[in-house]
Amino acid sequence: PHYRSVDVGLRTYRGWHELALLFRRMGDLPHCEGVLRNILQQHAEYYPAQVDLAETLLMQKRKADGISLLDKVPVS
C-alpha cells in the first residue's frame, strides 16, 4: 500500500530525464546532452527535455545551438 504514491512516469522517458539532470549536476555535460537527445528522438513533444537540452548546450558554450533549440519550443 505504501508504494501507491510512486510516480510511474519515472519508469519511462521522465526517468531518463531525471538521470540526464543528474549527469548535468555531476558536471558530465556531454553525457547529459546525449541522454536528452535520445529522449527527444522518441518524444519530440516533451518540452522540459528541450529546455534542459538548450540549457545544457548553453553551459557548454554552444550559445547558437541552444538559442536555435529554444526558438522551436512553443510559448504558452
Side-chain angles (χ1 to χ4, degrees), residues 38-51:
N38 285 338
I39 292 168
L40 292 173
Q41 283 179 347
Q42 298 173 14
H43 302 279
E45 75 287 351
Y46 187 54
Y47 299 120
Q50 288 183 8
V51 171

Side-chain angles (χ1 to χ4, degrees), residues 17 21 24 36 40 46-58 66 69-70 73-74:
H17 185 208
L21 296 178
R24 189 166 77 183
L36 290 171
L40 292 173
Y46 187 54
Y47 299 120
Q50 288 183 8
V51 171
D52 285 329
L53 177 56
E55 288 178 3
T56 302
L57 293 170
L58 291 171
L69 186 62
L70 284 177
V73 177

Side-chain angles (χ1 to χ4, degrees), residues 16-17 19-25 27-41 49-50 52-62 65-66 69:
W16 284 103
H17 185 208
L19 181 63
L21 296 178
L22 175 63
F23 286 135
R24 189 166 77 183
R25 285 192 300 272
D28 190 353
L29 298 177
H31 204 167
C32 173
E33 177 185 350
V35 173
L36 290 171
R37 287 191 185 278
N38 285 338
I39 292 168
L40 292 173
Q41 283 179 347
Q50 288 183 8
D52 285 329
L53 177 56
E55 288 178 3
T56 302
L57 293 170
L58 291 171
M59 291 172 75
Q60 294 181 75
K61 310 289 189 246
R62 294 167 56 193
D65 294 337
L69 186 62

